[in-house]
Amino acid sequence: MTTFDIGDDLRVRRMGFGAMRLPASERGGPANDRETGLAVLRRAVELGVNHIDTAAFYFFGDLTANGMIRDALHPYSGDLVIATKVGPRREPGAPMPTGQLAADELRGEVERNLRDLGLDRLDLVYLRPGGIEAPGGESIAERFEVLAALREEGLIRHLGVSHVDAAQLAEASAIAPVAALQNRFDVTQPADVEMLRTCERDGIAYVPYFPLGGFGVPDDARLKAVAARRDASPAQVLLAGLLALSPVTLAIPGTSSLAHLEENVAAGGLTLAEEDLRALRS
């Protein structure tokens, strides 16, 4: 399967694009070249990508991922799905979020995404609670209820959750349908398998953040061995392995490089044998 229907009605190709690294490749900068970023976005769509993951807190200086998406692709094609995240609070000049938005601040953040992207309705909005520590340990009900109300108003089409544990997913699902889940996962760090199985059971898209291991592909002997056997790069093996895990997994690798974009998208056509998958899990 090369596609998945998010929320049963948004058909996306399983190889998507993450916009986090468009403004800057590293958290501390420097800023990337804006024109190159616009070219990456346009080329991604030319290559068939129709699922872009972004957030208003993806910025460096005056360069914002949402602004670049709008400048490169608006007016959007009818099949393009743009997903965004709300929840983290990031101040100008801070290299990463420094806290969480309160429930009564989420409407403003949703409206900010709508305005910056030039949209009347957001296709998919994730609530992203917590910081960089392990997920869980807090209720997300009050904040998710705000997003559910905005969905009822028509400002959001589908809801998702990110960086959550099983209890938080169940809490959200009791309030409104959860169409997608975004947790940390790559095939060399398969700590979230039970959540993946829950997504399979319930038809929820499982969309790992950091599908390439974070800021840099892991220096992993298993990856290198499979890559050599398949005449592929370690990054391509990570992405192909992710898509092979389950029909509900979607990949959103990010890059500010045209060459890396081509490499990542090509991984959607790489088929790994069962022996490869066993080697990656060993």
Side-chain angles (χ1 to χ4, degrees):
M1 293 177 60
T2 60
T3 63
F4 180 84
D5 293 348
I6 297 174
D8 293 329
D9 63 1
L10 288 178
R11 178 156 296 182
V12 298
R13 295 178 181 88
R14 294 177 64 208
M15 183 63 71
F17 179 81
M20 184 176 69
R21 301 180 104 180
L22 284 175
S25 297
E26 303 293 338
R27 287 175 177 168
N32 287 327
D33 178 70
R34 178 179 177 277
E35 293 305 315
T36 300
L38 300 183
V40 165
L41 285 162
R42 292 175 182 133
R43 181 59 178 153
V45 171
E46 288 174 358
L47 292 171
V49 169
N50 72 333
H51 173 209
I52 296 177
D53 182 86
T54 187
F57 55 87
Y58 290 169
F59 63 84
F60 189 85
D62 295 331
L63 199 60
T64 70
N66 283 356
M68 295 172 76
I69 291 167
R70 180 173 183 170
D71 290 346
L73 303 176
H74 195 278
Y76 305 115
S77 63
D79 70 337
L80 182 65
V81 172
I82 301 177
T84 190
K85 288 172 289 299
V86 298
R89 179 191 305 280
R90 184 180 172 198
E91 303 297 339
M96 59 189 299
T98 55
Q100 298 186 67
L101 297 174
D104 62 4
E105 296 176 291
L106 291 178
R107 172 183 283 273
E109 189 73 350
V110 167
E111 292 173 346
R112 177 186 175 193
N113 278 277
L114 286 165
R115 183 172 59 251
D116 292 350
L117 290 165
L119 291 168
D120 296 322
R121 179 173 68 169
L122 296 168
D123 294 320
L124 172 62
V125 177
Y126 295 92
L127 175 65
R128 205 289 191 187
I132 61 173
E133 69 282 352
E138 62 179 315
S139 172
I140 64 171
E142 183 182 11
R143 283 167 288 171
F144 199 76
E145 285 170 352
V146 172
L147 297 186
L150 294 175
R151 175 176 172 267
E152 290 299 313
E153 288 184 32
L155 296 182
I156 300 171
R157 186 166 182 170
H158 291 299
L159 300 175
V161 287
S162 174
H163 195 67
V164 296
D165 64 8
Q168 290 171 321
L169 173 59
E171 188 177 35
S173 298
I175 295 168
V178 174
L181 184 147
Q182 195 174 111
N183 274 8
R184 175 73 184 268
F185 191 99
D186 71 65
V187 291
T188 68
Q189 300 182 60
D192 209 41
V193 171
E194 289 306 313
M195 292 288 273
L196 173 58
R197 299 298 170 240
T198 298
C199 289
E200 287 178 333
R201 182 195 70 200
D202 296 339
I204 297 171
Y206 186 85
V207 194
Y209 64 84
F210 288 161
L212 294 176
F215 286 87
V217 175
D219 184 14
D220 189 290
R222 297 169 296 176
L223 278 178
K224 293 177 180 178
V226 174
R229 186 159 61 238
R230 296 300 166 198
D231 191 26
S233 70
Q236 288 177 318
V237 170
L238 276 176
L239 295 172
L242 178 67
L243 296 181
L245 283 176
S246 167
V248 307
T249 55
L250 308 180
I252 49 168
T255 184
S256 57
S257 161
L258 283 165
H260 289 160
L261 171 69
E262 300 269 355
E263 177 184 326
N264 291 342
V265 173
L270 175 63
T271 301
L272 300 182
E274 183 57 37
E275 64 176 312
D276 300 321
L277 299 176
R278 284 197 302 268
L280 292 171
R281 293 192 295 261
S282 64

